[in-house]
Amino acid sequence: MAINEKDIDAILETYPAKVKRNRKKHIIVRDSSLAHQEIEANTRTIPGVITNRGCAYAGCKGVVLGPIKDIVHITHGPVGCGYYSWLTRRNKAKTPPDGKNYLAYCVTTDMQEKDIVFGGEKKLAQVIDEVVEIFKPNAITVSATCPVGLIGDDIGAVAKAAQEKHGIPVMAFSCEGYRGVSQSAGHHIANNGVLEWMVGRGEMTEAPAKYSINILGEYNIGGDAWEIHRILEDIGYHIISVASGDGAYQDLKNAHVADLNLVQCHRSINYIAEMLEIKYGTPWLKVNFIGIEATCRSLRDMALYFGDKELIDKTEEVIARELARIEPLMEQYRKICQGKTAFCFVGGSRGHHYQKLFADLGIETVLAGYEFAHRDDYEGRQVIPHIKVDADSKNIPELHVEPDPKFFKLKISPEKAEELKKKIPLSYYAGMNIEMKDGHIIIDDMNHFETEEFIRILKPDIFASGIKDKYIPHKMGIPSKQLHNYDYSGPYAGFNGAVKFAQDVTAMFTTPAWNFITPPWKSKPLLEGQYQK
Amino acid sequence: MLDFTPKEIIERTSGGLINPAKTCQPIGAMYAALGIHKCLPHSHGSQGCCAYHRSHLTRHFRDPILASTSSFTEGASVFGGGANLKTAIKNVFAIYNPDVMAIHTTCLTETIGDDIPAFLGQAEIPEGKIVIHANTPSYVGSHITGFSNMTRGMVNYLSEAATETKKEQVNIIPGFVNPGDMREIKRLVRAMGINFIMFPDTSGVVDSPMTGKFEMFPQGGTTVKELKDTGNSKLTIVLGSFASTDAAIALERKCKVPAKTLKTPIGVKATDEFLMTLRNTFVTEIPYELEEERGQLVDIMVDTHHQFHGKKVAIFGDPDIVIALTEFVLSLGMVPVHVLTGTPGSTFEKEVKAMLLESGLKGNVKAAGDLFQFHQWIKNEPVDLIIGNTYGKYIARAEDIPLVRVGFPILDRSVHSYMPIVGYKGAMRLVEMISNALLERQDRDAADEDFELVM
């Protein structure tokens, strides 16, 4: 069913005036006849509105830092934040030969009332000492929770002293939950730290192999990164590091030597990508390994970047082989999925990426949006200079980098880069909006009320979002797919991932349980009889 | 798996935790508030708290968990959250229209000293709507403390002693247990023919049925009318001291309703005590229906004792549950050698140690402990079985010990929240779970010649 501005106004009518004015700017009906459609994003959620958004700590420690496996991540604060970000996100990691994988450990300073009153610096220093003694990690991060900044604990100073004492990097992140307006602030804070304290600490000066790359913004949920590795290594790429799924400090510190940085999740990692280009001369390429067509395109774009015939041929060979293998499998699932509609409301990039995979199955995304994205994720990076910097964004430090005197090396000439930019998204992301069809809804920070209302009007066949809203559509009889953690399945990336996704989604549509929602006595009268003449 | 946990006990003096066995107050407060009919819990703090708590509760219950937040920014943290809270109250009632809004604080708002009652005095609360609050600083106690504080908040705000003489009815505070347990406790009291008010009561809220229609406020939960009426009851029965005593004490002070604290009714002994308290207070005989169930349970315990008698067990989780479980496994002839809770409180250690002593046993017992320590204990004195929540699975795998999942949270198995562990029926279920786990292990490890059809 099509929807227009009037329908949206009708939905927003329930809101108090201020909320209505605010929310209207976060919702657009796609209209390609307009030169440009602006959406409001990365602004405050109004108190009392039930949002899916989290906080800066979740974005910093939970998303970007947490998956780095050879680092012990200490949460400085009361127990909860560390507890909830412990093993809940499904960022998988294989234990390297030296055994250094600490993901199953949650370390928290468990601040008590006396720490709030008298300060928690001493306790933090002691916890760092214990961590070094027990775990002997390659590095330590300290992530701050709300009270830390409020009571003025100087975690930077504690980290610096600990680093000198123990001789390993100890990095402090001021990612208190009240910073910024969502997880996004935390991504930025973490990105700054990764660039400042991790990348470039290694001694490598040259890429160790041909076609060396970093994968940025890939978190290995359900094993996605491993499927991407399988394909890329098959083609002949050498993966230096991943930020940060199954990633390691050991690898990240040499990330500066790569020939190319791939950006999978633009929202959470674009700061690093941009800064790596300035500091080390490595351009980045926006890729999407979610969806068959998207994967093929990303592989071809990568091959074009290197422009090597051998690589281009090998890319085509792998694509042909993989397609021949999976297409017959996909076809059977497509028969069931074809013609259905989806909502795709995810965090920062999956709201866009998964539309491709749905499309591969013949499912049309009629509503899409992001929980914590910025305008550039919707409208494309060309809007970045025009984005108003508000008080909430000003609180997040901007790292100003310069070419590194030791490691800066232009990986391709500026002329070549300009030429490539005409063909591939080199150091550019065009955003979600241009790929949405006319009449479809784009919505930022969709809240509970809007979720219910849009489902009521658009009646999607499948709802894709996260754990907090998963069971709401279920109660309405609508299959609901978690695209943050894949409903404990996966991988969904690459070719094998597409098949797995198709299989899971088909199961959601066809599971017999849906048929039992209405009890038989609701449609049959209590007494049945025949009228006798 | 957990390869960095050494056998040699490391003395840690920092006060930090490695692999905590508790979480923070607000999630307990949120869960308790869901046990009020048509109530929207509200988290006064940063958005992340609310998101984390909703996510974790949803993972455990596999049902919608709705709650709103004051969505703090840095500005609010500096200038105070009054404006945020007042906006939130206005929006919550305008958009979601609950009957009750139950506000809990967070470490942020406690640190900056937000005065919730003062804010409420200035807020626009629509006619007929109710706003209650509880202070739940995350840096004190645990999620159990938060549950306790919100439950006490219900008494503070709502309980009224309206009648001269107390009614022939009992208040039951079930503690931080699953809706399946709440339903079972209610069934027992109903079978006794006694009028009761259970609060909070999350049954029918977080275990709501599939009907094809989403109800933001499902049928379950203690109504405001019932909460007010708790002041007129003859007795409050507290099931588990950690999660529920404070509310009962408040009710005793406010409305002169005497309170009796019992264990969470896990196992034959604790269930007996619960029913005997009801029997004595209301002079009502235990119906045959329950006597029969009890007889069945004892029959099972006798018939199958060889499957678990003498087996060593390590138990961790929330204090009320762990205390009651310890009593139950002792009654099965098992040997609890390590007993730990993450929640602080000296009475935990006292109570568990007394039970062990009575059985002629000694074990490691600790409140405010963590799973790193628990694991080290197990490395030093191995056990046949671990009982605890999902977080125990890593230790269970590292040490190749079977795990029976009991408590909160259970994130990797389903249906548990619907099924009781309390009452005689719940005890039967626990016996089944424990003996299945041990027998599965025996089967798995048996040589072909020792693999048996009948066990």
Side-chain angles (χ1 to χ4, degrees), chain A residues 81-293:
Chain A
C81 307
Y83 183 85
Y84 300 117
S85 56
W86 173 30
L87 295 168
T88 45
R89 189 157 155 261
R90 301 197 69 233
N91 43 274
K92 297 187 174 189
K94 282 182 184 140
T95 301
D98 67 2
K100 292 192 176 178
N101 174 357
Y102 304 103
L103 296 196
Y105 290 99
C106 163
V107 183
T108 164
T109 54
D110 186 29
M111 285 178 109
Q112 298 297 300
E113 193 151 21
K114 65 174 191 321
D115 304 318
I116 301 291
V117 176
F118 300 110
E121 292 175 11
K122 209 173 138 203
K123 188 175 195 179
L124 173 62
Q126 282 179 306
V127 169
I128 294 172
D129 291 346
E130 286 172 358
V131 162
V132 172
E133 189 198 340
I134 296 167
F135 298 106
K136 298 172 183 62
N138 291 337
I140 289 172
T141 67
V142 175
S143 292
T145 70
C146 291
V148 171
L150 299 173
I151 63 170
D153 269 5
D154 187 348
I155 58 170
V158 175
K160 195 162 169 251
Q163 180 160 306
E164 279 159 20
K165 182 173 175 188
H166 298 294
I168 57 164
V170 182
M171 301 163 265
F173 294 80
S174 292
C175 54
E176 286 87 351
Y178 54 76
R179 293 195 195 275
V181 299
S182 70
Q183 293 93 312
S184 181
H187 303 147
H188 196 159
I189 292 163
N191 276 215
N192 289 348
V194 168
L195 195 95
E196 202 172 3
W197 301 316
M198 298 189 201
V199 180
R201 277 201 187 221
E203 285 308 310
M204 273 190 200
T205 50
E206 288 290 326
K210 240 173 144 183
Y211 316 132
S212 283
I213 56 167
N214 297 310
I215 308 178
L216 309 178
E218 167 50 54
Y219 300 104
N220 200 28
I221 309 304
D224 273 357
W226 295 328
E227 167 65 0
I228 297 169
H229 283 221
R230 179 186 73 84
I231 301 164
L232 295 182
E233 281 165 4
D234 198 1
I235 294 174
Y237 291 102
H238 177 80
I239 298 157
I240 292 180
S241 72
V242 183
S244 57
D246 197 18
Y249 169 73
Q250 281 296 28
D251 304 327
L252 281 166
K253 65 185 188 181
N254 285 311
H256 54 274
V257 299
D259 300 315
L260 176 68
N261 292 318
L262 306 185
V263 168
Q264 172 75 5
C265 174
H266 176 260
R267 182 66 265 137
S268 63
I269 217 84
N270 76 91
Y271 317 94
I272 291 185
E274 212 181 347
M275 292 187 285
L276 283 175
E277 183 157 13
I278 301 168
K279 195 168 178 187
Y280 301 109
T282 321
W284 58 273
L285 179 70
K286 176 69 185 87
V287 293
N288 173 21
F289 292 110
I290 301 297
I292 300 167
E293 214 190 295

Side-chain angles (χ1 to χ4, degrees), chain A residues 14-16 19 44-55 57-59 62 78-89 95 98-102 104-113 116 123 126-127 130-131 133-136 145-147 150-151 176-183 392 395 447-449 452 467-477 485 488 514 517-518, chain B residues 1-6 10-24 27 40 42 46-56 58-59 62-75 77-78 83-85 87-92 94-96 107-108 111-112 138-141 207-216 344 371-372 389 391 394 408-409 411 418:
Chain A
T14 304
Y15 286 144
V19 181
R44 294 176 187 181
T45 299
I46 304 165
V49 167
I50 300 178
T51 173
N52 276 2
R53 281 177 164 183
C55 64
Y57 169 85
V79 66
C81 307
Y83 183 85
Y84 300 117
S85 56
W86 173 30
L87 295 168
T88 45
R89 189 157 155 261
T95 301
D98 67 2
K100 292 192 176 178
N101 174 357
Y102 304 103
Y105 290 99
C106 163
V107 183
T108 164
T109 54
D110 186 29
M111 285 178 109
Q112 298 297 300
E113 193 151 21
I116 301 291
K123 188 175 195 179
Q126 282 179 306
V127 169
E130 286 172 358
V131 162
E133 189 198 340
I134 296 167
F135 298 106
K136 298 172 183 62
T145 70
C146 291
L150 299 173
I151 63 170
E176 286 87 351
Y178 54 76
R179 293 195 195 275
V181 299
S182 70
Q183 293 93 312
D392 299 314
N395 296 332
N447 60 48
H448 171 74
F449 173 74
E452 270 200 72
I467 182 68
K468 292 185 287 291
D469 42 6
K470 177 179 172 73
Y471 297 105
I472 293 161
H474 267 198
K475 295 284 188 219
M476 305 172 184
N485 76 5
Y488 328 109
W514 296 117
I517 293 176
T518 310
Chain B
M1 189 57 55
L2 299 177
D3 294 333
F4 291 90
T5 308
I10 292 170
E11 185 149 1
R12 288 176 288 144
T13 53
S14 68
L17 298 175
I18 306 174
N19 295 358
K22 66 165 181 183
T23 181
C24 62
I27 195 173
L40 189 71
H42 179 85
S46 294
Q47 271 160 201
C49 310
C50 190
Y52 273 144
H53 299 142
R54 287 180 65 204
S55 296
H56 230 56
T58 308
R59 291 181 187 118
R62 294 178 201 251
D63 234 27
I65 303 294
L66 286 149
S68 52
T69 161
S70 293
S71 292
F72 264 60
T73 56
E74 191 150 350
S77 308
V78 173
N84 286 50
L85 189 61
T87 306
I89 290 171
K90 190 177 171 198
N91 287 334
V92 160
I95 304 168
Y96 306 108
C107 48
L108 191 171
T111 302
I112 64 172
S138 314
Y139 44 76
V140 176
D207 61 354
S208 64
M210 173 77 90
T211 59
K213 193 166 177 265
F214 168 72
E215 302 280 358
M216 185 156 178
L371 293 183
F372 185 83
N389 62 39
Y391 292 93
Y394 291 83
F408 175 86
L411 311 169
Y418 295 81

Side-chain angles (χ1 to χ4, degrees), chain A residues 211 301-312 416 420:
Chain A
Y211 316 132
D301 288 351
M302 288 172 69
L304 262 182
Y305 170 82
F306 287 98
D308 189 336
K309 179 157 190 315
E310 193 191 347
L311 186 72
I312 294 170
K416 174 96 186 286
L420 279 171

Side-chain angles (χ1 to χ4, degrees), chain A residues 310-461:
Chain A
E310 193 191 347
L311 186 72
I312 294 170
D313 290 348
K314 182 69 185 174
T315 300
E316 291 306 326
E317 183 195 316
V318 169
I319 288 175
R321 189 198 65 208
E322 292 288 320
L323 291 183
R325 182 173 65 85
I326 66 160
E327 269 307 319
L329 299 169
M330 290 299 283
E331 197 44 46
Q332 52 169 343
Y333 299 120
R334 217 170 269 139
K335 281 179 192 152
I336 290 160
C337 298
Q338 190 78 43
K340 294 200 183 325
T341 59
F343 279 15
C344 192
F345 179 76
V346 205
S349 289
R350 291 182 199 170
H352 180 192
H353 292 166
Y354 273 85
Q355 295 185 36
K356 305 284 193 180
L357 190 43
F358 278 132
D360 286 339
L361 285 165
I363 299 172
E364 190 163 319
T365 303
V366 295
L367 176 149
Y370 300 124
E371 193 179 308
F372 47 73
H374 299 198
R375 276 183 59 199
D376 41 315
D377 301 290
Y378 293 98
E379 301 168 52
R381 283 182 72 89
Q382 73 284 355
V383 302
I384 291 177
H386 312 292
I387 296 177
K388 269 190 299 217
V389 181
D390 59 14
D392 299 314
S393 315
K394 274 190 198 138
N395 296 332
I396 317 303
E398 281 282 347
L399 207 58
H400 291 286
V401 293
E402 285 176 3
D404 188 270
K406 193 169 163 196
F407 294 126
F408 181 86
K409 191 177 142 194
L410 263 190
K411 305 303 191 294
I412 55 166
S413 68
E415 301 76 40
K416 174 96 186 286
E418 282 315 306
E419 192 194 316
L420 279 171
K421 279 179 184 172
K422 290 174 196 147
K423 299 180 201 156
I424 60 173
L426 194 65
S427 305
Y428 181 68
Y429 175 45
M432 169 208 283
N433 292 10
I434 57 161
E435 297 200 57
M436 294 285 295
K437 283 193 188 157
D438 280 357
H440 290 172
I441 305 294
I442 299 162
I443 182 164
D444 178 68
D445 186 20
M446 180 164 73
N447 60 48
H448 171 74
F449 173 74
E450 290 157 8
T451 300
E452 270 200 72
E453 290 297 297
F454 280 113
I455 290 177
R456 184 176 57 77
I457 294 170
L458 293 170
K459 299 184 178 58
D461 296 301

Side-chain angles (χ1 to χ4, degrees), chain B residues 92-311:
Chain B
V92 160
F93 286 113
I95 304 168
Y96 306 108
N97 196 28
D99 286 356
V100 185
M101 184 172 169
I103 300 162
H104 61 262
T105 55
T106 57
C107 48
L108 191 171
T109 47
E110 287 292 333
T111 302
I112 64 172
D114 268 2
D115 183 349
I116 307 295
F119 296 159
L120 293 185
Q122 301 153 3
E124 292 170 46
I125 301 166
E127 181 87 28
K129 298 293 179 182
I130 291 167
V131 180
I132 68 171
H133 101 282
N135 290 95
T136 50
S138 314
Y139 44 76
V140 176
S142 74
H143 56 298
I144 298 302
T145 321
F147 183 95
S148 167
N149 284 340
M150 181 52 81
T151 308
R152 186 176 54 185
M154 296 173 198
V155 171
N156 288 344
Y157 275 88
L158 297 168
S159 300
E160 288 171 2
T163 52
E164 272 295 305
T165 51
K166 295 297 179 193
K167 290 185 186 173
E168 280 297 302
Q169 72 184 20
V170 62
N171 300 325
I172 294 170
I173 314 184
F176 198 129
V177 293
N178 279 322
D181 295 314
M182 295 181 185
R183 285 178 192 271
E184 181 63 10
I185 293 165
K186 289 194 285 185
R187 189 183 68 87
L188 295 176
V189 189
R190 256 185 225 121
M192 296 280 294
I194 296 165
N195 291 331
F196 65 93
I197 298 166
M198 175 177 279
F199 77 99
D201 179 3
T202 60
S203 66
V205 181
V206 298
D207 61 354
S208 64
M210 173 77 90
T211 59
K213 193 166 177 265
F214 168 72
E215 302 280 358
M216 185 156 178
F217 303 106
Q219 288 184 11
T222 315
T223 62
V224 169
K225 196 173 156 218
E226 288 168 327
L227 283 168
K228 285 185 176 166
D229 199 30
T230 53
N232 303 317
S233 296
K234 192 173 162 183
L235 175 73
T236 301
I237 296 183
V238 170
L239 297 175
S241 62
F242 278 80
S244 309
T245 295
D246 283 359
I249 291 171
L251 192 52
E252 192 158 18
R253 282 203 193 121
K254 187 176 178 187
C255 303
K256 312 250 172 333
V257 181
K260 188 158 170 64
T261 300
L262 302 174
K263 287 193 182 71
T264 307
I266 295 171
V268 62
K269 216 170 145 189
T271 307
D272 283 352
E273 277 166 29
F274 175 53
L275 293 183
M276 288 300 281
T277 304
L278 290 171
R279 180 180 182 264
N280 294 346
T281 311
F282 294 93
V283 199
T284 306
E285 199 45 88
I286 313 276
Y288 178 68
E289 178 192 344
L290 299 184
E291 190 174 316
E292 185 184 41
E293 274 174 28
R294 184 184 186 282
Q296 289 172 326
L297 169 63
V298 177
D299 190 64
I300 289 167
M301 287 164 66
V302 171
D303 293 351
T304 57
H305 74 275
H306 58 283
Q307 294 170 353
F308 34 71
H309 190 95
K311 298 281 189 201

Side-chain angles (χ1 to χ4, degrees), chain A residues 9-23:
Chain A
D9 284 342
I11 291 174
L12 302 181
E13 213 43 61
T14 304
Y15 286 144
K18 264 190 189 164
V19 181
K20 186 181 166 183
R21 274 201 303 279
N22 175 300
R23 287 303 303 160

